[in-house]
Amino acid sequence: MKQDIGIGLLGLGVIGSGVANILLNKVDTLTEKVGAPLVLKKILVHDITKKRQVVTDTSLLTTNVEDVIDNPEVDIVIELIGGERPALDYIKQALANGKHVVTANKEVIAKYGYDLLALANKHRTYLRYEASVGSGIPLISSLQHDLAANEISTIYGILNGTTNYVLTKMSQEGLSFSAALQQAQNLGYAEANPSNDIQGTDAAYKLAILSSLAFYTTIDPKDIYCQGISHLEAQDFRYAKEFGYTIKLLAIAKRHGDSIEVRVHPSFIPQWSQLAKVDDVYNAVQIEGDLAGKLIFYGEGAGSLRASSAVIADVLAIAGNVRNMIGNVTEPQINQNLDVQAISELHTRYYFRLKVADRPGVLAQISKALGDNDISISSVIQKESDLTSQTAVLVIMTHRAQEKAVQKALADLHSLELVQEVSNFIRVEA
Amino acid sequence: MKQDIGIGLLGLGVIGSGVANILLNKVDTLTEKVGAPLVLKKILVHDITKKRQVVTDTSLLTTNVEDVIDNPEVDIVIELIGGERPALDYIKQALANGKHVVTANKEVIAKYGYDLLALANKHRTYLRYEASVGSGIPLISSLQHDLAANEISTIYGILNGTTNYVLTKMSQEGLSFSAALQQAQNLGYAEANPSNDIQGTDAAYKLAILSSLAFYTTIDPKDIYCQGISHLEAQDFRYAKEFGYTIKLLAIAKRHGDSIEVRVHPSFIPQWSQLAKVDDVYNAVQIEGDLAGKLIFYGEGAGSLRASSAVIADVLAIAGNVRNMIGNVTEPQINQNLDVQAISELHTRYYFRLKVADRPGVLAQISKALGDNDISISSVIQKESDLTSQTAVLVIMTHRAQEKAVQKALADLHSLELVQEVSNFIRVEA
């Protein structure tokens, strides 16, 4: 039986400091849980001389990555640098050196998870990444273990706290996108450069990870259709409400036989649905399986403490085995190689907002243009006639239609003389 | 490496049939996940000749429990008989025989879980019981593993689908308790003898299991304060709504230093809270930890498929280790021996409904009686004056008060000549 479990840390930023803090301050309870002490052996930083709140013992710090990942005293490497490089190289090298690896790196796992797990398998080490999606919400382990007997049919996720905060403010307070974003930045919920969040990239990485696990396949994040939230306007939220909906940035994955639908975009969802009630920086994921039915996991998906909860849980799971000298055993790695459906093949309902000439016959022309593309209207609101410009806002909800036809119809509408502007179109999840 | 994993099943009722069905019908995908086939070796039943939909091969059936738990071909015993005896004896004997055990038995785990885990540890076998609480919602594994780095402060659970269905109907449709229960029985959501559900016993077992795990202690279900829902009336739901609340049967556990509060009773909860939106037969558990923050797990907590999801997940987790010949290693078993606080020590807010004489000065007398017991009123509604009997309904919400004082005040109110009836009192969770 091993006497202590050596931990090496890569990165001492916000999450790294949180994790180090817990490893140092909760040492007694963690030791009790593992049955052996977790000892922080070395931490990779950029600058050893920088003033820090945690880890005041500078002998623990190094600027040389080999001191961590080649260190014979280190059993488990925690990678909290983030981003693709050099994190990917460090993880690979650590696994090749026989180290177990825990990471919160969604980009690396989304892009290279399958190969890294194969590498871990080859070297009989563990690779865990619970913090990479939803922080402290146990999503990865639920999919890997608790739902393992299920055939998963759908995943709906609110996976990005920044955008959910912005959308909540737009919906509840009628703020514009830029005002809501500014507020999120003031509160530290959005970064100075928020494009990864706002454009949906962050959510797409997370969806790639969840859906790869759920469907036993590899999904390249590049294959996920991804649309951000910056084109939404306050009036879209008002119309959504009138129709009984709200707007959320949803990450959606659905299985259809041998192919899957994976997409991230703003969606109308019914006000009565559980996900519609997920506000502010909270995340939630709804997973539907043939046995478990519809499950929802809800919690805060960001922040140093939340991520630390997942990172330390992963460390504890590995540490128990390290203590008992149980190496990872070769796990069956299943890859069903499912096809990702093109967005043009999507069938769903749609919301359109148009600016049209306020003249008789306009609705007839528009519904003809839609009908010619096999799109039928479910409801219409005409509002806000502007007497000066003689224009009106026309808001349309369609029945189920195909995306390809919708794109064609939008082009057709655009070319109608009576249509001044196709102001927005949003997919509807019913 | 082991070539196949032998499964023995105790019980072929609703859940047992579901589990057998999945083991037989999903054999290919389960084999792929484990890396070796799961083979159903023997099933204990009452009556071999009974006509069945699943398990048509009667050579698999036996009425002799030893054929399952002493069977050298059986690696994992699944106990789905339910109830305390003989299930407890069978589980003990199976563990002592070196079998791994998976059970959905909340009563046995609530009452004897700690000792059974010690027995499993001693014989280096696994004992898993995910299905015992919330069926397919991954609560047990989340507490055991994913939240292991957290200090848990509170658990709020809607843990019984039958009562939640009844309360939903009373709230949404204004039904009486008995009419709502009748409806639940007609739909198969409530048993012919629903007392375990209605009286809160079922929820108390589940709370004992969750809070023992969360607080690393042993909680005897007998020590859990438990009040059922049969005293609730439709008007309580109407008044709750007026105050901005709804009524749920909550299972509550809170840690206060070295003692814990564990109780099951109907509670007012704010309409805006996530748990207030958990309707019908759905279950939900809110767990708050120092690192993970507030997490909510939501899903259907009953039914054969839901339970099978958890049972098979437990089987798969064990099977992976059986295949690789990894026996269970002695896990540290932590028991903090926390004290259970008496209900009389509880501090919370309260709702009272009284029938009083419709005369001047009545409110003054009542508020004096409450004030004498250090209870201050937060709001009052006086309604439904009955001119014939000259009585009125008085509904009171208090500020935080101690349960002991509230019980004393209720007795004092009872003795007031102006108070005809203390019709109900319900605790408020804000």
Side-chain angles (χ1 to χ4, degrees):
Chain A
M1 200 172 289
K2 221 166 165 305
Q3 290 313 301
D4 73 16
I5 317 292
I7 311 285
L9 188 57
L10 303 176
L12 199 54
V14 176
I15 299 179
S17 300
V19 167
N21 196 29
I22 290 158
L23 287 173
L24 295 171
N25 288 323
K26 283 200 174 189
V27 64
D28 291 344
T29 58
L30 297 178
T31 298
E32 197 177 17
K33 283 171 191 180
V34 174
L38 301 177
V39 182
L40 200 46
K41 301 282 186 181
K42 230 31 172 187
I43 304 173
L44 178 71
V45 294
H46 272 301
D47 176 5
I48 290 176
T49 62
K50 188 177 158 187
K51 276 258 176 239
R52 295 168 205 280
Q53 303 284 355
V54 289
V55 194
T56 43
D57 174 4
T58 52
S59 75
L60 280 176
L61 306 181
T62 178
T63 54
N64 180 4
V65 70
E66 271 76 28
D67 291 345
V68 181
I69 59 182
D70 287 346
N71 188 331
E73 292 187 6
V74 167
D75 299 294
I76 304 171
V77 171
I78 306 175
E79 184 278 305
L80 297 171
I81 302 170
E84 187 171 329
R85 306 271 168 169
L88 173 65
D89 306 311
Y90 294 170
I91 292 172
K92 279 187 181 170
Q93 200 181 326
L95 293 173
N97 288 345
K99 309 299 183 196
H100 307 291
V101 172
V102 172
T103 178
N105 195 318
K106 54 191 167 262
E107 185 172 353
V108 162
I109 296 297
K111 292 181 176 171
Y112 308 102
Y114 190 84
D115 293 339
L116 290 174
L117 285 168
L119 187 64
N121 245 343
K122 183 179 156 197
H123 293 283
R124 303 204 156 211
T125 58
Y126 293 98
L127 169 64
R128 296 182 69 114
Y129 48 93
E130 182 64 67
S132 65
V133 186
S135 269
I137 312 171
L139 297 167
I140 307 293
S141 69
S142 293
L143 283 169
Q144 285 179 322
H145 303 293
D146 303 292
L147 295 172
N150 285 260
E151 190 155 309
I152 306 293
S153 55
T154 54
I155 298 174
Y156 290 111
I158 294 175
L159 292 172
N160 181 276
T162 305
T163 46
N164 202 46
Y165 182 85
V166 168
L167 298 182
T168 302
K169 291 294 143 186
M170 291 180 76
S171 173
Q172 291 180 355
E173 297 173 20
L175 296 188
S176 70
F177 168 73
S178 54
L181 178 60
Q182 186 60 56
Q183 211 181 90
Q185 284 171 322
N186 294 346
L187 289 164
Y189 294 155
E191 293 171 51
N193 177 0
S195 63
N196 254 5
D197 294 322
I198 295 309
Q199 292 170 5
T201 318
D202 175 85
Y205 286 150
K206 292 167 177 170
L207 184 64
I209 295 172
L210 294 183
S211 49
S212 294
L213 286 171
F215 304 123
Y216 293 87
T217 191
T218 51
I219 292 166
D220 188 327
K222 284 199 301 289
D223 293 337
I224 296 179
Y225 174 81
C226 191
Q227 181 193 36
I229 64 165
S230 56
H231 63 292
L232 298 175
E233 293 181 28
Q235 55 183 311
D236 294 315
F237 290 84
R238 288 202 304 274
Y239 295 126
K241 238 172 245 173
E242 285 196 44
F243 286 119
Y245 290 82
T246 189
I247 307 174
K248 293 289 182 190
L249 181 69
L250 278 197
I252 301 171
K254 296 185 189 179
R255 177 153 184 183
H256 307 285
D258 287 338
S259 74
I260 46 171
E261 184 186 310
V262 273
R263 48 197 170 98
V264 172
H265 54 71
S267 293
F268 270 44
I269 57 175
Q271 276 167 4
W272 52 259
S273 66
Q274 294 282 334
L275 291 180
K277 295 154 191 160
V278 175
D279 287 328
D280 301 321
V281 294
Y282 277 88
N283 284 14
V285 178
Q286 177 177 320
I287 301 175
E288 192 152 353
D290 59 343
L291 306 180
K294 185 179 87 173
L295 297 177
I296 300 177
F297 302 80
Y298 169 94
E300 280 175 76
S304 158
L305 284 178
R306 311 299 175 239
S308 300
S309 175
V311 167
I312 308 274
D314 279 347
V315 169
L316 290 174
I318 296 172
N321 286 336
V322 171
R323 166 180 167 267
N324 294 295
M325 317 261 214
I326 302 173
N328 190 9
V329 291
T330 320
E331 298 273 345
Q333 233 190 330
I334 303 171
N335 188 350
Q336 303 197 89
N337 289 310
L338 303 178
D339 288 331
V340 171
Q341 208 180 67
I343 189 73
S344 56
E345 301 303 312
L346 175 67
H347 282 83
T348 191
R349 299 181 61 200
Y350 293 81
Y351 153 97
F352 302 134
R353 176 164 57 83
L354 311 172
K355 196 181 279 179
V356 298
D358 197 3
R359 295 215 303 267
V362 63
L363 191 56
Q365 278 199 31
I366 287 168
S367 61
K368 179 172 185 307
L370 294 176
D372 288 348
N373 287 289
D374 261 344
I375 300 165
S376 68
I377 293 174
S378 134
S379 16
V380 175
I381 303 176
Q382 179 165 343
K383 281 238 167 148
E384 300 174 33
S385 290
D386 183 331
L387 293 176
T388 324
S389 66
Q390 292 197 301
T391 59
V393 172
L394 200 66
V395 177
I396 296 171
M397 292 277 282
T398 75
H399 287 294
R400 272 173 75 85
Q402 193 175 29
E403 176 91 9
K404 205 182 331 194
V406 167
Q407 295 293 351
K408 169 77 166 43
L410 289 174
D412 292 354
L413 288 176
H414 210 80
S415 68
L416 286 180
E417 194 219 334
L418 286 164
V419 174
Q420 299 203 346
E421 183 183 281
V422 178
S423 315
N424 224 337
F425 92 101
I426 302 173
R427 298 172 190 90
V428 177
E429 208 59 37
Chain B
M1 200 172 289
K2 221 166 164 307
Q3 290 314 298
D4 73 16
I5 317 292
I7 310 284
L9 189 56
L10 303 176
L12 199 54
V14 177
I15 300 178
S17 300
V19 167
N21 196 27
I22 291 157
L23 287 173
L24 296 171
N25 289 323
K26 283 200 174 189
V27 63
D28 291 344
T29 58
L30 297 178
T31 299
E32 196 178 18
K33 282 172 191 178
V34 174
L38 301 177
V39 182
L40 201 45
K41 301 281 185 181
K42 231 25 170 192
I43 304 173
L44 178 72
V45 294
H46 274 299
D47 176 4
I48 290 177
T49 62
K50 187 177 158 187
K51 276 255 176 239
R52 294 168 206 280
Q53 302 286 353
V54 287
V55 194
T56 44
D57 174 6
T58 53
S59 75
L60 280 175
L61 307 180
T62 178
T63 55
N64 180 6
V65 69
E66 272 75 30
D67 291 345
V68 180
I69 60 182
D70 288 345
N71 187 333
E73 290 187 5
V74 167
D75 300 293
I76 304 172
V77 171
I78 306 175
E79 184 278 306
L80 297 171
I81 302 169
E84 185 170 330
R85 305 274 167 167
L88 173 64
D89 306 311
Y90 294 169
I91 292 173
K92 277 186 182 171
Q93 201 181 324
L95 293 173
N97 287 344
K99 310 297 184 198
H100 308 291
V101 173
V102 172
T103 178
N105 195 317
K106 54 192 166 262
E107 185 172 353
V108 162
I109 296 297
K111 291 180 177 172
Y112 309 102
Y114 189 85
D115 293 340
L116 290 174
L117 285 168
L119 187 64
N121 246 343
K122 184 178 154 199
H123 294 282
R124 302 203 158 213
T125 58
Y126 294 97
L127 169 64
R128 297 183 68 116
Y129 48 94
E130 182 64 66
S132 65
V133 185
S135 270
I137 312 171
L139 297 167
I140 307 293
S141 69
S142 293
L143 283 170
Q144 286 179 323
H145 304 294
D146 302 293
L147 295 173
N150 284 259
E151 191 155 309
I152 307 292
S153 55
T154 55
I155 298 175
Y156 290 111
I158 295 174
L159 292 173
N160 181 276
T162 306
T163 47
N164 202 48
Y165 182 85
V166 169
L167 298 182
T168 302
K169 291 293 143 186
M170 292 180 75
S171 173
Q172 290 179 355
E173 296 172 19
L175 297 188
S176 70
F177 168 74
S178 53
L181 178 60
Q182 186 60 59
Q183 209 181 91
Q185 285 173 321
N186 294 346
L187 290 165
Y189 295 154
E191 293 171 49
N193 177 0
S195 63
N196 253 6
D197 294 322
I198 295 309
Q199 292 169 5
T201 317
D202 175 84
Y205 287 149
K206 292 167 178 170
L207 184 63
I209 295 172
L210 293 184
S211 49
S212 294
L213 286 171
F215 305 125
Y216 293 88
T217 190
T218 51
I219 293 166
D220 189 327
K222 284 200 303 291
D223 293 339
I224 296 180
Y225 173 83
C226 192
Q227 183 192 33
I229 63 165
S230 56
H231 63 292
L232 298 176
E233 295 181 27
Q235 54 184 312
D236 294 316
F237 290 85
R238 288 202 304 274
Y239 295 126
K241 238 172 244 173
E242 284 196 44
F243 286 120
Y245 290 82
T246 189
I247 306 175
K248 292 290 180 190
L249 181 69
L250 278 197
I252 301 171
K254 296 185 189 178
R255 178 155 185 181
H256 306 285
D258 286 339
S259 73
I260 46 171
E261 184 185 311
V262 273
R263 48 195 170 99
V264 172
H265 54 72
S267 294
F268 271 45
I269 57 173
Q271 276 167 3
W272 51 259
S273 66
Q274 295 281 334
L275 292 181
K277 296 155 191 161
V278 176
D279 287 328
D280 301 321
V281 294
Y282 276 88
N283 284 15
V285 179
Q286 177 176 320
I287 301 175
E288 192 154 351
D290 59 342
L291 306 181
K294 186 179 86 172
L295 296 177
I296 299 177
F297 301 80
Y298 169 94
E300 278 176 78
S304 158
L305 284 179
R306 311 301 176 238
S308 300
S309 175
V311 167
I312 308 273
D314 279 347
V315 169
L316 289 174
I318 296 172
N321 287 334
V322 171
R323 167 179 167 267
N324 293 295
M325 317 258 212
I326 300 173
N328 191 7
V329 291
T330 320
E331 298 273 345
Q333 233 190 329
I334 304 171
N335 189 350
Q336 304 197 87
N337 289 309
L338 303 179
D339 289 330
V340 171
Q341 208 181 69
I343 189 74
S344 56
E345 301 303 313
L346 175 66
H347 282 82
T348 191
R349 300 181 60 199
Y350 293 83
Y351 154 95
F352 302 134
R353 175 164 57 83
L354 311 173
K355 195 181 278 178
V356 298
D358 197 2
R359 296 214 302 267
V362 63
L363 191 56
Q365 278 198 34
I366 287 168
S367 61
K368 179 172 184 308
L370 294 176
D372 288 349
N373 286 290
D374 260 345
I375 300 164
S376 68
I377 293 175
S378 134
S379 17
V380 175
I381 303 175
Q382 180 166 342
K383 282 236 166 149
E384 299 175 33
S385 292
D386 182 329
L387 293 176
T388 325
S389 66
Q390 292 196 299
T391 59
V393 172
L394 199 65
V395 178
I396 295 171
M397 291 278 283
T398 76
H399 287 292
R400 271 171 77 85
Q402 193 175 29
E403 176 91 10
K404 206 183 329 193
V406 166
Q407 295 294 351
K408 169 78 166 45
L410 289 173
D412 292 353
L413 288 176
H414 210 81
S415 68
L416 287 181
E417 195 219 332
L418 286 165
V419 174
Q420 300 203 347
E421 184 185 279
V422 178
S423 315
N424 225 336
F425 92 101
I426 301 173
R427 298 173 190 89
V428 177
E429 209 58 39

